[in-house]
Structures are given as C-alpha cells and as structure tokens.
Amino acid sequence: MARIKKPIQASDVILFAVTLVIAVIFAFPIFFNLMSAFKTNGEILRDAIALPKGFYTESFTYLLTETEYPRAILNSAILTIGSIIAMIVIIPMAAYAIERTGNRWTSGVYIYFLFGMMVPFQVYMIPLFRQLKAMGLFGNLAGPIMIYIAGSVGFGVLLFTSFLKGVPREIEESAQIDGCSRMGIFWRVVFPLLGPVTASMVVLQGLGIWNDFLMPMLVLPSGQPKTMIVELFYYVGEFSSRWDMIFAGTTMSLIPVLIAFLTLQKYFVKGVSSGAIKG
Amino acid sequence: MDATLEKKKKKTWRLGYAFWFILPAFVLYTTFVMWPTFSSISLSFTSWDGINPDIRYIGLENFREIWNSPRVHNAIWNSILLAIALVVLENVVALGLAILVDKVRWFRNLFRSIFYFPVLMSGIIMGFIWMIILNYNFGVVNQLLDMTGLSAIKADWLGNPDYAMASIILSTVWKSAGYYMIIYLAGLQGIPQELLEAASIDGAGRWKQFRHITFPLLAGAMTVCIMLAMINSLKLFDQIAVMTNGGPGFATETLTYIIYRVAFGEGRQGFGTALGIVLFFIIVIISLIQIRVLRKREVQM
C-alpha cells in the first residue's frame, strides 16, 4: 500500500520537538560516559558537563598497560564466544529432537527444561558455588561456560521448538529416504533453516554473558583478573579517585555492544519480541 | 501389518536419536541448574557458614528467623516498593515512548535506537554512570541545579536514605523502558489503521481514539509488559551493587540483595539459601498468576 505524503503540519513539528528533547535526555548518560572517557580526572571533577578540552587518551593507555584489564577483556571474550558456540552445538539439537518426536518422554523433558526459566540465579547460587568447588571447576573458565549453557537451556529450547513448528518436515523426510543419518539431516538440512532464530539467541545470550556480573564474580578466583564488568565493579571501589580511568573501561566494554547493535539491530528487536513470550 | 511393523521400527529408531540429541543439554541443565536448586532445600535447614566442612542441621530455625527478622521484613518491603514503582513507571514511560516513536514523522528508527540502547548496557556500567551523574559534589544533576539557581533542592541523591531508592528506581526506568517500548510498538503497529480512520470520521478526537481503540487493543502487550517488569524488578541486582551496596543502612536492600549480602558478606550461607527459597516461592506465585491471566486473555481474543 503506497502511503500518500501528507503535508507537514504544526503538530508534526511539535511532536518531533518533544521526541527530540526526550531523546536528548535518554542519550545523555551514554554521551556523558563517552565524553568523560576523554577528559582528565581534573576536568571531570571541575566541570562534569563541559566538553573535553583535548583528546586525552592517557586513561586508556594506563588501563591497558598498567592494570590487568587486558586479561579481563580476554576472559570476557572467551566466556562469551565459548558459551555461544557450545550453545549453538547443544541447544538446537535438543529442541529439534523434542519438537520432532513429541512423545510422552520428550514432552516431559520439555516441561522439565522450561521449569528452569522460573528459577532465578540467586536461588541456587549458594549450593552451586559449593558444588563447583567439589567438582574442581571452581576457578577456571570452564565452570562459568557450563553454567551459562545450562542456564540458557530452558529459554533456548523454547525459542527453537516454537520456530521448528513452522519448518516443514518434507525436506527431512526426503533426505532420510536418501539414506542420510539423523545427525547429517539435522546439521545439513534443518540447521541452515534456523538462521534467524539462532541469530536471536546468539545476540540475546551473548549480550547477557558479556554484561553478566554476579556469577563470574562469585565463581572466578579472587586475586586474579575476572571479567571486564567484574573488574570495573572493583575499580569503582579501588580507584574511587580515578573516574577518568573507569570511564575509559566502561567505554571499552560498550564499544563491542554498540557495534553488535548497529550491525545486528534486527535480531535485537526480534529477540525482544520472542523474549516477551518467555515470561 | 507391514505398515504397523514399519511404524514400530521407525518409532524405536526415532527415540534412539532423540536420546542422544537431548542428552548433552539434559546433563548440563541437571548438573548446573536443577541439582543445585534441589540441594538448596536441604542447605536451607543448616547453619552453614560457607567454609566449615561440618554442616549442622538446625531444622526450621532459618525460616523462623526470616519470619521474625525486621531486616528481612524491610528487604521484602523494599522489594515490593521497587516492584510496584518500576511496574508503573516503566510501563507509563514505555507506552509514552512507543506512541512518540510510532507517531513522529522524522528519524523514527534513530529515536527507537536511542530509547532502546540503555537496555543493552550492563547494570554495573549503567549504575556507575548514574552514580557519577548523581554525585553530591561533582555530579551533573547538582551542577545543573546550581546553574539554574535551584541549589536549595540539591541533595545527596544516593547517600541520603530518603532519596537512594528513588534514584535507583528512576535510573532503572531509564535503563529498561526501551525494552517494553519495543513490545508496545509491535502492539501499536498491529492496530488496523482503518479502525482509527473510521473513528475519526465519526468525530472521535485523538484522546477518544486512544482511550477507546488504541488502549484496549494494547491490553495484550500490557499484560506481558507488566508481568515481565514485575519479575525483572525482583531480580534487580547490579545497579544496587554498584550504586548503594544496599545502603545507606538498609535503605535499598532488597530480597535479592540481602541473599547476596548475608551469604557472601556475612558468611551465613544456610540462612541465605533459606531466603533464596522464599524468593523462589514468590516468583513461582507471580509466574502462576501470570500464566492464568495470559490464558484467560487468549480465550477472550
């Protein structure tokens, strides 16, 4: 349906002005963060609202050379990428088996998985902490990766099974007649069709892991760099007089998020609407 | 007969592959979610401190303490306050933003992105930025008040127990309104344009159109948003950790936060686990109500 361009009215201009003002208020804290990252600490304290005088990058250099922040960046990246890859391998497969068989057993497993979505992390964090120590997983990155995968099973399976309902079985059946194994059918025929839903899961879970705080703080050993977010939290206490440095740190953590958002915007929005079903 | 045999054979084979496909997810989920959840039940009957290998059972003592402790009552009250304030404010702001983005004539996508971006930020980063903005001596808010001659209402927004909770609520609304905006926006775009046009031909003004057409048709989106906002507000943690650490005093200590403080700050992990179980039951009750309400709505539609 072609839209007819209506002439510009006064109400359009007023509405635009109102939206613009609210958008400025909304964007201000982010702008404030980026701006402060390039100011000296003195500048921030003297006049928080003023624009930076020069292009001060000393706090970035300090953070990258004098602290253990680079190690924390690496840890964040390993946790995010490692967990996401493992999720892609494990979760769609389980969802596929549940959706395509749909018998008593697999439906039971489905409900069992969904139950986990109701349990907030704070409920089981104390026993989990104890259990990791007993299993010898306390203190290395494999522990948090497994916890992330386990924690995303409920939501992931829900997301994939609802998408698989709309994927026709005919192609799989013909591949089956051609003598393809189930594993082969899944990865070569079905999985390529799951692109959009996989992207939504990657974006949502990836963001959640990148931004996660409580679990890595508890589970990674003290005295060593943890993740970016956890280190930033410690810096707020330790370097309470070096705001410029913390702003440089938050900026470094926000940049990948910003890039991912600008390139994958569609999936972020889709993820929200699918997340809305989750509850 | 041949066909049934074929069918039977197919079925067992299918179960075979399903087993292997589900196994990895099942094992991980059971080990790292369900097992600790169930072991929290037995741990909640102990006085464990987190270190001592000798775990002592004290029966229902932890739950009795929860029932009687003024500190826990305060935390539950704070959680309720936070939940109500966030549910109302987030939804009002989100609906307002959605209407603006839906109606505005220029740069619609840019505005949507600006309102949505805070959703993607970590609570720690967002909390730190707001902590600096609200700082008493050097913060933006007090500086702006000074500049506009309103120095009289300057306050220590996070250090004063009267304002700390309000500061956390408002900054959280800033962070999460964009999320619910996207849901409302999808709802708004699903409203048939003809309906509004017909109403305006019949002489209904903008407000009447909103009141009698748009608003009722957004009811579904609103139910979802209210429920999500409620659950998310109960889980709120990062902002509190960085902005106030539950303080000043116990002014911003919520149920989620008291669990962490008691278990890892005060070495009372048995008691913390018992509080976790209370939190779990509250969330289950809300979820069950949510499912009921959503089902009812589906029937109506």
Side-chain angles (χ1 to χ4, degrees):
Chain A
M1 196 172 78
R3 256 210 192 153
I4 307 151
K5 276 252 173 207
K6 279 189 262 172
I8 298 170
Q9 291 172 331
S11 64
D12 286 333
V13 179
I14 295 167
L15 199 68
F16 180 75
V18 172
T19 316
L20 189 66
V21 169
I22 297 173
V24 168
I25 297 171
F26 259 79
F28 177 76
I30 294 155
F31 173 73
F32 176 71
N33 179 21
L34 297 179
M35 174 176 91
S36 302
F38 297 103
K39 284 159 92 169
T40 65
N41 207 39
E43 276 180 86
I44 300 174
L45 295 182
R46 222 172 301 125
D47 194 349
I49 310 171
L51 288 169
K53 289 210 181 70
F55 197 64
Y56 175 77
T57 52
E58 199 60 33
S59 32
F60 286 93
T61 333
Y62 182 82
L63 208 55
L64 289 176
T65 54
E66 302 295 318
T67 68
E68 300 208 81
Y69 204 54
R71 186 60 219 276
I73 298 176
L74 186 68
N75 280 353
S76 287
I78 293 172
L79 285 186
T80 310
I81 296 167
S83 313
I84 288 295
I85 291 173
M87 275 176 205
I88 294 174
V89 172
I90 291 172
I91 290 171
M93 232 163 57
Y96 173 77
I98 288 171
E99 210 284 317
R100 287 299 193 252
T101 51
N103 59 34
R104 201 150 29 108
W105 296 104
T106 51
S107 310
V109 170
Y110 182 59
I111 290 168
Y112 174 68
F113 282 167
L114 292 192
F115 177 76
M117 295 201 315
M118 283 206 302
V119 190
F121 179 67
Q122 276 88 353
V123 170
Y124 62 93
M125 70 177 175
I126 299 166
L128 179 71
F129 189 68
R130 181 164 159 247
Q131 187 184 321
L132 279 184
K133 277 186 176 165
M135 292 169 83
L137 283 168
F138 175 76
N140 62 47
L141 293 175
I145 289 181
M146 283 192 246
I147 296 169
Y148 283 134
I149 304 164
S152 68
V153 165
F155 176 57
V157 165
L158 176 69
L159 207 63
F160 277 100
T161 44
S162 52
F163 189 84
L164 276 162
K165 285 194 184 106
V167 177
R169 297 172 185 223
E170 284 77 27
I171 321 166
E172 294 159 43
E173 274 158 15
S174 64
Q176 201 178 309
I177 292 161
D178 290 347
C180 221
S181 73
R182 266 292 159 168
M183 212 40 131
I185 293 173
F186 177 72
W187 287 110
R188 272 184 239 136
V189 181
V190 181
F191 186 72
L193 301 173
L194 303 179
V197 68
T198 309
S200 288
M201 186 187 75
V202 166
V203 158
L204 278 183
Q205 301 289 354
L207 185 78
I209 298 169
W210 184 258
N211 284 340
D212 196 21
F213 166 66
L214 183 58
M215 199 272 278
M217 183 182 71
L218 294 179
V219 159
L220 294 173
S222 48
Q224 280 172 43
K226 299 184 180 181
T227 67
M228 287 175 99
I229 296 295
V230 179
E231 288 304 295
L232 286 172
F233 175 74
Y234 289 145
Y235 292 165
V236 174
E238 273 170 52
F239 301 99
S240 48
S241 53
R242 287 287 314 265
W243 289 353
D244 60 326
M245 218 185 77
I246 303 171
F247 276 123
T250 57
T251 305
M252 277 190 262
S253 164
L254 281 178
I255 286 169
V257 177
L258 196 63
I259 292 171
F261 178 55
L262 293 177
T263 49
L264 301 167
Q265 220 182 74
K266 185 167 82 172
Y267 299 109
F268 276 99
V269 174
K270 249 194 210 150
V272 169
S273 11
S274 54
I277 326 163
K278 155 186 163 184
Chain B
M1 201 191 107
D2 245 36
T4 50
L5 201 77
E6 183 80 77
K7 219 176 177 181
K8 211 175 173 187
K9 205 176 148 197
K10 211 168 159 188
K11 217 171 181 180
T12 49
W13 176 73
R14 266 192 180 174
L15 197 72
Y17 95 84
F19 177 77
W20 295 111
F21 272 33
I22 294 172
L23 189 67
F26 186 87
V27 168
L28 281 170
Y29 173 78
T30 305
T31 319
F32 293 104
V33 178
M34 290 314 270
W35 182 250
T37 302
F38 278 112
S39 38
S40 76
I41 296 171
S42 75
L43 204 58
S44 72
F45 297 119
T46 71
S47 62
W48 195 46
D49 59 2
I51 307 153
N52 198 336
D54 178 33
I55 299 176
R56 204 157 344 116
Y57 281 85
I58 52 168
L60 288 167
E61 197 47 52
N62 285 329
F63 293 97
R64 197 169 298 136
E65 187 179 339
I66 291 172
W67 190 255
N68 293 321
S69 156
R71 185 179 168 196
V72 174
H73 296 172
N74 171 63
I76 291 176
W77 174 242
N78 279 341
S79 287
I80 293 172
L81 193 76
L82 195 71
I84 293 172
L86 283 179
V87 166
V88 173
L89 290 173
E90 280 173 350
N91 278 283
V92 169
V93 173
L95 186 56
L97 292 178
I99 291 170
L100 284 178
V101 170
D102 188 49
K103 288 272 178 324
V104 79
R105 200 170 162 138
W106 303 283
F107 299 111
R108 195 172 288 178
N109 285 336
L110 177 70
F111 284 131
R112 193 185 64 183
S113 301
I114 289 175
F115 296 141
Y116 182 62
F117 188 73
V119 173
L120 308 177
M121 290 170 77
S122 122
I124 296 293
I125 293 183
M126 165 256 153
F128 172 69
I129 298 173
W130 278 95
M131 193 174 100
I132 304 303
I133 290 177
L134 297 169
N135 184 283
Y136 182 69
N137 293 310
F138 310 107
V140 174
V141 171
N142 280 352
Q143 214 177 315
L144 281 175
L145 290 175
D146 269 339
M147 276 162 63
T148 47
L150 293 167
S151 308
I153 55 168
K154 255 171 68 170
D156 191 355
W157 303 109
L158 292 172
N160 184 332
D162 294 338
Y163 300 121
M165 187 57 107
S167 300
I168 290 203
I169 289 169
L170 290 179
S171 52
T172 304
V173 170
W174 170 80
K175 180 181 157 52
S176 25
Y179 180 83
Y180 306 106
M181 173 196 76
I182 298 281
I183 299 173
Y184 281 122
L185 206 52
L188 280 174
Q189 281 155 0
I191 294 172
Q193 220 52 49
E194 296 79 36
L195 225 56
L196 295 170
E197 272 160 28
S200 94
I201 290 166
D202 287 346
R206 285 242 168 123
W207 169 247
K208 272 203 164 157
Q209 286 178 32
F210 177 77
R211 177 73 192 77
H212 296 288
I213 298 172
T214 313
F215 195 69
L217 286 176
L218 282 179
M222 187 167 276
T223 318
V224 171
C225 285
I226 288 174
M227 296 305 178
L228 284 175
M230 202 175 307
I231 302 272
N232 287 337
S233 71
L234 284 174
K235 290 184 186 166
L236 192 75
F237 183 85
D238 296 6
Q239 283 97 306
I240 300 175
V242 74
M243 287 170 84
T244 62
N245 188 25
F250 303 107
T252 54
E253 193 174 71
T254 59
L255 194 51
T256 333
Y257 207 73
I258 198 179
I259 297 175
Y260 162 75
R261 244 187 172 186
V262 160
F264 296 99
E266 295 158 24
R268 301 184 63 202
Q269 303 215 335
F271 186 56
T273 316
L275 281 167
I277 287 178
V278 172
L279 175 70
F280 175 68
F281 277 111
I282 293 177
I283 294 210
V284 166
I285 290 167
I286 293 177
S287 302
L288 290 178
I289 296 172
Q290 163 180 11
I291 292 164
R292 274 192 85 133
V293 173
L294 284 175
R295 283 251 172 89
K296 221 174 176 181
R297 214 165 264 290
E298 265 167 37
V299 173
Q300 281 171 353
M301 292 201 298

